[in-house]
């Protein structure tokens, strides 16, 4: 196996087909249909990895088209194929997957079902190894993948699918010691579809070939994806609910009252609200609403026993979305924003101007901090309050929290990695860091990566089981820490003692300063 440090071979596409072999041929022809080679390039991986590389194409079409939400496997079989699955001369079907493509915008694009068929050569190629004890493999390695859209007669293909009845990805072994083989894309275009290098079909094939080239290299070098989504909330549940929530709240883009970008902020907070709703559904028992005439299923989903508290709620949009969907809670900030006065009265009643000073509050008093037992704390880009999220959650016996860090703050000063080493963690440090899924190249040497490690170690220090998630939101600061379970150590008492120690040390320094309402509202 090659090492990750070896540079990936340059992607060098050439229009048309390779001279090494001719195009694919259909064994059964019901028309004058013929395969047209569109583009090819040298392969940078051996043929036995073709199935691994194409698996990504089959199961993650959304990586190649922003118009596709995801694919769902309807069935997977090695026999009993549909009549529209092509029979290829010189090849036998190895495996067949029937998938359903879901559009990202259901109101604009339709879904589509598709046959994804892997083929192996009828006779082994020189690259297929023969075991001297057991003889040839049962089937040579797959070397062709054909995608076939399932379209009713008279219907048209959705925009995101190329205008073809079949499109094929081929791995062509060649006798060249410097090249593993040739990757080639061929298609049977619909009548009248141009295939020249300036055509949409060719550009689509170019993008797909580049993707296959990258996937093959990743399989060869054992590439490990470092940014992992959907660790806590399943992708399918999130995407399906997000589509509903987006339709319910997209009107906020046109009524935006702040000077910031509405497209970013509205869809970002819709995404965070969607994640929270599904997280709470997992965490808490079924809720019995006061009225039962609502058609929305989430009105009976679980929710924090004492509601939520959005620390540093800024424009109040996240609080507004949650309150609008029937969740009880509060948002606090040091400054009232323009948006607040334009929300419904139910939202306005949940937004409060408050300069929270963690070092001066008494969690056992009746001060209006909204930090009661059972509350769920949200720290969405809470700046200097970010490190206080796990500490306050521990001290007030919160039922959980979500922290999305942005600007690097410690308790009373800016974070500096040379001055703020991570807290001791319950496992080996390397294992702890690896479990966080910080993203990047794995070196974790950037200032932001080091800050996230420091924050995560603080969460563990305060007695929480550390869980992380890379949220599906339009922000470069989309890494989140989730606290929903206390560690078993001392039933949480040890974590509480450590949180109290932090509070005492910071209070004795007397350096924490709350913000004052001055200047323009900052970016939330």
């Amino acid at each position: 196996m090659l090492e990750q440090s070896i540079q990936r071979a340059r992607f060098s596409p050439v229009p048309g087909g390779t001279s090494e072999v001719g195009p694919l041929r259909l064994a059964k022809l019901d028309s004058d249909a013929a395969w047209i080679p569109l583009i090819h390039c040298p392969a940078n991986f051996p043929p036995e990895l073709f199935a691994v590389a194409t698996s990504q194409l089959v199961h993650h079409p959304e990586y190649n088209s922003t118009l596709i939400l995801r694919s769902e496997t309807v069935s997977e079989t090695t026999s009993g194929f549909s009549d529209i699955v092509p029979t290829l001369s010189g090849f036998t079907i190895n495996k067949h997957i029937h998938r359903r493509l879901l559009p990202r915008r259901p109101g604009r694009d339709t879904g589509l079902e598709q046959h994804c068929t892997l083929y192996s050569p009828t006779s082994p190629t020189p690259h297929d190894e023969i075991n001297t004890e057991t003889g040839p493999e049962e089937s040579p390695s797959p070397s062709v993948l054909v995608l076939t859209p399932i379209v009713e007669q008279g219907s048209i293909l959705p925009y995101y699918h190329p205008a073809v009845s079949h499109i094929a990805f081929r791995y062509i072994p060649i006798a060249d010691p410097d090249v593993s083989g040739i990757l080639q894309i061929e298609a049977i275009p619909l009548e009248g579809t141009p295939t020249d290098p300036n055509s949409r079909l060719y550009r689509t094939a170019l993008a797909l070939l580049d993707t296959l080239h990258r996937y093959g290299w990743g399989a060869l070098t054992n590439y490990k994806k470092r940014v992992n989504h959907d660790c806590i909330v399943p992708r399918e549940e999130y995407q399906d609910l997000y589509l509903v929530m987006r339709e319910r709240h997209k009107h906020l883009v046109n009524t935006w009252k702040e000077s910031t970008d509405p497209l970013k902020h509205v869809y970002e907070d819709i995404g965070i609200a969607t994640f929270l709703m599904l997280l709470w559904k997992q965490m808490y028992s079924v809720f019995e609403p006061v009225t039962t005439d609502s058609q929305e299923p989430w009105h009976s989903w679980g929710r924090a026993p004492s509601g939520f508290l959005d620390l540093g709620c800024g424009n109040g949009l996240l609080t507004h979305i949650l309150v609008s969907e029937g969740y009880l809670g509060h948002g606090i900030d040091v400054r009232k924003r323009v948006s607040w006065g334009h929300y419904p009265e139910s939202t306005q009643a949940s937004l409060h101007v408050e300069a929270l000073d963690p070092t001066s509050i008494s969690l056992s008093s009746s001060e209006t901090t909204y930090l009661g037992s059972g509350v769920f704390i949200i720290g969405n880009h809470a700046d200097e309050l970010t490190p206080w999220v796990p500490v306050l959650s521990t001290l007030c016996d919160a039922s959980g929290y979500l922290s999305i860090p942005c600007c690097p703050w410690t308790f009373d000063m800016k974070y500096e990695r040379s001055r703020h080493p991570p807290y001791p963690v319950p496992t080996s440090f390397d294992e702890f860091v690896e479990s966080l899924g910080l993203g990047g190249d794995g070196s974790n040497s950037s200032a932001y990566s080091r800050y996230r490690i420091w924050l995560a170690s603080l969460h563990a220090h305060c007695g929480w089981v550390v869980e992380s998630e890379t949220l599906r939101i339009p922000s470069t600061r989309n890494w989140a820490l989730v606290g929903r379970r206390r560690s078993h150590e001392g039933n949480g008492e040890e974590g509480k003692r450590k949180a109290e120690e932090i509070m005492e040390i910071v209070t004795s320094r007397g350096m924490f300063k709350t913000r004052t309402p001055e200047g323009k509202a900052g970016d939330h």
Side-chain angles (χ1 to χ4, degrees), residues 71-383:
S71 73
E72 293 180 345
T73 299
V74 177
S75 63
E76 187 170 329
T77 183
T78 56
S79 62
F81 312 116
S82 168
D83 291 340
I84 68 170
V85 172
T87 303
L88 303 179
S89 295
F91 294 89
T92 57
I93 295 178
N94 181 285
K95 184 170 67 172
H96 170 263
I97 296 172
H98 180 179
R99 73 176 178 179
R100 181 181 297 112
L101 300 177
L102 303 181
R104 191 170 294 276
R105 297 290 180 88
R108 184 181 64 183
D109 300 314
T110 59
L112 177 71
E113 294 192 10
Q114 196 180 55
H115 295 302
C116 309
T117 313
L118 278 166
Y119 299 78
S120 298
T122 303
S123 58
T125 70
H127 291 269
D128 288 304
E129 299 179 358
I130 296 179
N131 188 307
T132 56
E133 295 182 0
T134 62
E137 295 180 347
E138 291 184 4
S139 176
S141 300
S143 60
V144 176
L145 168 67
V146 175
L147 305 182
T148 304
I150 306 172
V151 184
E152 294 183 6
Q153 191 168 5
S155 299
I156 60 174
L157 288 166
Y159 180 79
Y160 55 77
H161 194 284
V164 298
S165 55
H166 308 283
I167 187 166
F169 303 80
R170 295 182 68 183
Y171 189 106
I172 304 171
I174 60 174
D176 186 338
D178 297 324
V179 180
S180 298
I182 297 292
L183 297 176
Q184 182 163 298
I185 293 184
E186 304 177 21
I188 299 181
L190 298 181
E191 185 177 357
T193 302
T195 61
D196 62 274
N198 293 319
S199 67
R200 180 168 175 258
L201 177 56
Y202 179 86
R203 294 195 303 272
T204 300
L206 174 63
L208 290 170
L209 187 65
D210 186 19
T211 299
L212 180 59
H213 188 263
R214 287 188 289 104
Y215 287 166
W217 179 251
L220 179 64
T221 56
N222 287 325
Y223 169 75
K224 184 178 181 182
K225 187 178 179 182
R226 299 203 60 84
V227 177
N228 294 314
H229 297 278
D230 319 307
C231 300
I232 298 174
V233 171
R235 179 184 68 156
E236 292 76 11
E237 285 188 42
Y238 175 85
Q239 290 180 331
D240 292 346
L241 180 59
Y242 176 79
L243 291 179
V244 175
M245 294 289 289
R246 187 184 66 192
E247 290 302 307
R248 291 172 67 86
H249 298 285
K250 66 182 182 181
H251 65 277
L252 293 166
V253 171
N254 298 324
T255 58
W256 192 244
K257 303 300 179 182
E258 305 291 339
S259 60
T260 50
D261 179 9
L263 291 176
K264 175 186 183 298
H265 289 282
V266 170
Y267 292 121
E268 182 173 317
D269 281 1
I270 290 174
I272 295 172
T274 301
F275 179 84
L276 283 168
M277 290 165 66
L278 291 169
L279 176 67
W280 293 338
K281 181 184 178 185
Q282 290 182 14
M283 291 178 61
Y284 306 113
S285 57
V286 174
F287 176 72
E288 296 294 339
V290 176
T291 58
T292 58
D293 57 350
S294 175
Q295 299 300 311
E296 289 80 13
W298 53 85
H299 281 207
S300 62
W301 291 357
R303 57 206 56 214
S306 298
F308 67 85
L309 173 63
D310 187 359
L311 290 178
C313 65
N315 55 49
L317 179 58
L318 180 58
T319 297
H320 167 64
I321 294 172
L322 292 172
V323 169
S324 298
E325 298 302 346
Y327 293 86
L328 299 178
H330 301 275
I332 63 173
D333 205 286
V334 296
R335 183 184 301 108
K336 181 178 181 178
R337 305 299 172 88
V338 175
S339 299
W340 291 18
H342 296 271
Y343 292 131
E345 290 185 5
S346 56
T347 298
Q348 293 187 42
S350 298
L351 295 172
H352 314 278
V353 175
E354 181 168 328
L356 177 63
D357 182 354
T359 65
S360 65
I361 63 175
S362 172
L363 296 177
S364 60
S365 73
S366 59
E367 295 181 46
T368 58
T369 59
Y370 311 102
L371 287 167
S373 175
V375 71
F376 186 98
I377 297 178
I378 303 169
N380 176 21
H381 297 177
D383 295 339

Side-chain angles (χ1 to χ4, degrees), residues 480-498:
L481 281 168
V482 174
R484 53 178 173 170
R485 293 192 298 271
R486 303 304 305 273
S487 64
H488 297 300
E489 184 182 14
N491 292 323
E493 290 304 315
E494 182 65 15
K496 188 172 183 179
R497 182 187 64 79
K498 292 175 180 177

